[in-house]
Amino acid sequence: MENCIFCKIVAGEIPASKIYEDSEVIAFLDISQATKGHTLVVPKKHVRNVLEMSEEMASQLFSPIPKIARALKKVTSASGLNIINNNETIAGQTVFHAHIHLLPRYNKEDGLAIHFTEHDPNFEELGLLAGNIQKEIQA
Ligand code: 5GP
Ligand code: ZN
């Protein structure tokens, strides 16, 4: 797609620190390096995000992630790794060509803070919500 920064990286039109490539997927170091080794795993074919992905594309995109993650953790001597995917602006997506962030983790002060606010569960509401989502998946 025209003017898509990741399509340009896939096409080799702009440089990237590539760490993995197969027929459908490319992975390269994120320019921002939120933590050392911060990597993006990207489908070669342009798609906006996971919300627009086919099951086939999703399986191709996710299948090399375990081996990339293991290599990243080993080479950086990280203690763990977060996998993050942002879909749409409200969720923090800034590049509208799908990508999965792999973020090696070193310690609690390594610059990455992911915080889930917990709410008291209302089990009746949870049951209704789960039922509605199940129905939508089956529709
Ligand atoms: P998002 O916010 O859409 O989930 O993530 C987009 C990511 O792409 C950001 O972490 C940003 O640093 C990275 N990025 C943007 N432009 C480039 C680029 O030209 N090269 C590389 N390697 N990463 C980029
Ligand atoms: Zn693209």
Side-chain angles (χ1 to χ4, degrees):
M1 179 177 267
E2 238 179 283
N3 288 328
C4 170
I5 192 96
F6 289 174
C7 280
K8 286 184 179 157
I9 289 175
V10 169
E13 289 166 15
I14 62 167
S17 306
K18 189 164 72 182
I19 65 170
Y20 172 82
E21 184 169 14
D22 63 32
S23 59
E24 309 298 331
V25 176
I26 187 169
F28 49 87
L29 296 179
D30 190 298
I31 209 161
S32 71
Q33 290 295 282
T35 62
K36 184 178 156 199
H38 179 184
T39 290
L40 298 173
V41 185
V42 176
K44 287 186 170 176
K45 190 169 165 229
H46 183 92
V47 63
R48 182 176 173 89
N49 55 38
V50 168
L51 298 169
E52 297 199 352
M53 230 176 250
S54 66
E55 288 186 14
E56 186 191 18
M57 200 174 186
S59 71
Q60 288 164 343
L61 179 62
F62 279 81
S63 78
I65 284 180
K67 68 183 168 206
I68 298 171
R70 281 190 288 270
L72 257 180
K73 183 173 177 290
K74 188 169 178 188
V75 167
T76 59
S77 302
S79 304
L81 179 128
N82 283 110
I83 298 180
I84 298 177
N85 164 244
N86 302 326
N87 297 277
E88 302 300 338
T89 305
I90 188 64
Q93 186 174 10
T94 59
V95 174
F96 291 90
H97 178 136
H99 52 278
I100 311 297
H101 294 262
L102 306 188
L103 291 139
R105 297 305 303 269
Y106 301 93
N107 55 60
K108 287 186 174 170
E109 288 81 41
D110 63 11
L112 193 67
I114 300 169
H115 178 69
F116 290 165
T117 304
E118 287 184 26
H119 301 280
D120 285 339
N122 175 325
F123 292 109
E124 196 182 338
E125 274 178 25
L126 289 184
L128 281 171
L129 181 60
N132 287 339
I133 299 167
Q134 267 184 34
K135 273 187 228 141
E136 181 60 32
I137 290 170
Q138 287 155 8

